[in-house]
Amino acid sequence: MRKTAAAAIFGVILAASIGCGGNGGGAAKDGAKGVDEPGLTGKIDINGSSTVFPITEFLVEEFEGRNPEVQVAASQDGTGKGMAMLADSQIDIANASRPIKAVEIEAAQKAGVEFIEVPIAFDGVCIIVNPENTWLKEITMDDLAKIWAPGSTVKTWKDVRPEWPAEEMVLFGPTAEHGTYEYFNETVNGDGTATRSDYQANNDYNALISGVTREPKALAYVGYAYYVENMEQVRAVPVVGTSGTAVAPTEQTILDGTYAPFSRPLFMYVNKASLERPEVKTFVMDSLGRSNQAISASRYIPLPDAIYASVRERVEGGITGTVMDKYKPGMSFEEVLKLEAGE
């Protein structure tokens, strides 16, 4: 197991929450194996993050192949939409590319919905450009703020830095329903809803990739898996972030926290009441057992097996609520550890 800062965070977080709520008793410990229960029927409804969707897509295909009488309906209408549907008991599982918000917790509480927080992977928000862009060797957080701030007057690359060409900058990005939109704008602009409005927004991340591919002067931001899947068509720009040096997004830099502040955890939020149905319980436990395979196949970054084992105990024990309430975009992993330790 790689002993990374990221792993340490989830080890501390999950151990703390499990310690407060019991050990769940009887949870499977082997994170490399799935869970099968013959004769399952029923339906499972999933919605939320487009970033998490490739993982879910793989898990659903595997699950339905072994449980043909279970119908799993998986959609990708964005983290915000998924959270709202979870609080309204319209779905069993909400995928999220950010931790649940206080207002979403409040909405769930008012509706009498309890949820279980399930971290499943790590991701890095990637700043991408067309390969024909030869001048953008690195980008700072100040550069990104100039470009994406509400009311930004940046029209050309030269407006950001005088040494860059006086060519029109073409911006692509996700819509406001997406957790990636919220995470990026919270990190860059200090507000998850604060951004310039005159960019080409799309609900489909593949459309953002296509936009950058066809437009040499383009810039966009997407999740790591979408970048890795299209490395021959787009280029990821190293970011001068928390470390003060330019860091490119890779599996290692995302896991060890050096690709900060754009490294982030990905989640599933499960309606506790839904877990009383055997098809939902089996799907969630099966997903945790097969997470490494699914996440690697989806080009995201798996958590260590020990973390998945702890999360399985969390699900088995029915431990509800969030342990990520102190987390903020842009916060270093070390800062999160200090918060969790009460420092």
Side-chain angles (χ1 to χ4, degrees):
M1 182 190 304
R2 287 171 290 187
K3 294 184 178 179
T4 63
I9 287 173
F10 275 100
V12 171
I13 290 171
L14 294 171
S17 64
I18 290 167
C20 292
N23 62 17
K29 300 295 183 182
D30 187 351
K33 296 179 181 179
V35 177
D36 291 310
E37 183 173 317
L40 284 176
T41 60
K43 182 180 179 181
I44 304 170
D45 290 307
I46 305 171
N47 206 331
S49 169
S50 293
T51 300
V52 181
F53 184 76
I55 301 172
T56 301
E57 195 172 31
F58 181 93
L59 291 169
V60 168
E61 183 177 354
E62 290 281 300
F63 182 80
E64 288 187 329
R66 296 186 307 277
N67 301 278
E69 298 303 315
V70 179
Q71 179 186 355
V72 185
S75 301
Q76 48 178 328
D77 291 333
T79 297
K81 178 69 171 179
M83 291 299 199
M85 294 179 73
L86 185 74
D88 200 33
S89 295
Q90 296 181 52
I91 57 176
D92 304 300
I93 299 170
N95 291 332
S97 58
R98 55 158 174 79
I100 190 169
K101 294 180 174 181
V103 293
E104 293 164 341
I105 295 173
E106 183 179 357
Q109 290 173 339
K110 285 183 177 179
V113 173
E114 294 183 285
F115 62 86
I116 297 176
E117 185 176 68
V118 180
I120 56 170
F122 265 94
D123 179 33
V125 177
C126 299
I127 313 303
I128 59 170
V129 294
N130 188 288
E132 291 185 28
N133 182 323
T134 59
W135 62 87
L136 191 57
K137 307 298 184 183
E138 62 182 43
I139 196 162
T140 69
M141 299 303 293
D142 285 343
D143 293 333
L144 289 169
K146 287 180 183 178
I147 295 168
W148 289 98
S152 171
T153 58
V154 168
K155 299 296 183 185
T156 71
W157 286 92
K158 191 178 182 65
D159 292 336
V160 184
R161 291 196 200 180
E163 66 269 26
W164 290 349
E167 302 280 354
E168 180 186 7
M169 181 182 292
V170 183
L171 297 174
F172 296 89
T175 59
E177 290 79 15
H178 289 276
T180 300
Y181 168 97
E182 295 175 285
Y183 189 95
F184 178 85
N185 288 301
E186 178 71 29
T187 304
V188 173
N189 296 319
D191 183 338
T193 63
T195 189
R196 65 188 299 164
S197 58
D198 57 339
Y199 73 97
Q200 298 186 41
N202 202 295
N203 197 47
D204 183 352
Y205 286 104
N206 290 310
L208 303 182
I209 295 289
S210 296
V212 175
T213 299
R214 69 173 181 267
E215 176 49 67
K217 306 302 188 299
L219 181 142
Y221 58 94
V222 297
Y224 182 71
Y226 288 92
Y227 156 62
V228 172
E229 191 68 26
N230 296 278
M231 291 177 70
E232 295 183 358
Q233 285 76 46
V234 299
R235 179 172 66 85
V237 182
V239 175
V240 181
T242 306
S243 68
T245 60
V247 180
T250 67
E251 178 174 340
Q252 184 59 43
T253 61
I254 291 170
L255 264 180
D256 66 20
T258 56
Y259 186 64
F262 287 132
S263 300
R264 60 175 178 169
L266 303 177
F267 302 89
M268 293 192 303
Y269 286 88
V270 185
N271 187 326
K272 184 181 179 182
S274 296
L275 284 174
E276 296 177 6
R277 305 196 331 256
E279 70 273 19
V280 177
K281 178 73 171 289
T282 304
F283 175 80
V284 173
M285 297 300 288
D286 180 73
S287 296
L288 287 169
R290 302 178 195 273
S291 288
N292 276 317
Q293 181 184 7
I295 292 164
S296 296
S298 306
R299 304 299 183 93
Y300 287 108
I301 301 166
L303 303 174
D305 284 344
I307 302 302
Y308 293 122
S310 294
V311 179
R312 288 167 70 93
E313 290 184 2
R314 185 178 174 82
V315 174
E316 284 282 16
I319 301 169
T320 61
T322 181
V323 294
M324 296 292 288
D325 53 330
K326 298 181 181 70
Y327 178 87
K328 296 179 181 179
M331 182 179 286
S332 71
F333 289 143
E334 290 78 9
E335 288 173 322
V336 174
L337 283 172
K338 288 180 180 179
L339 287 174
E340 290 298 328
E343 298 179 14

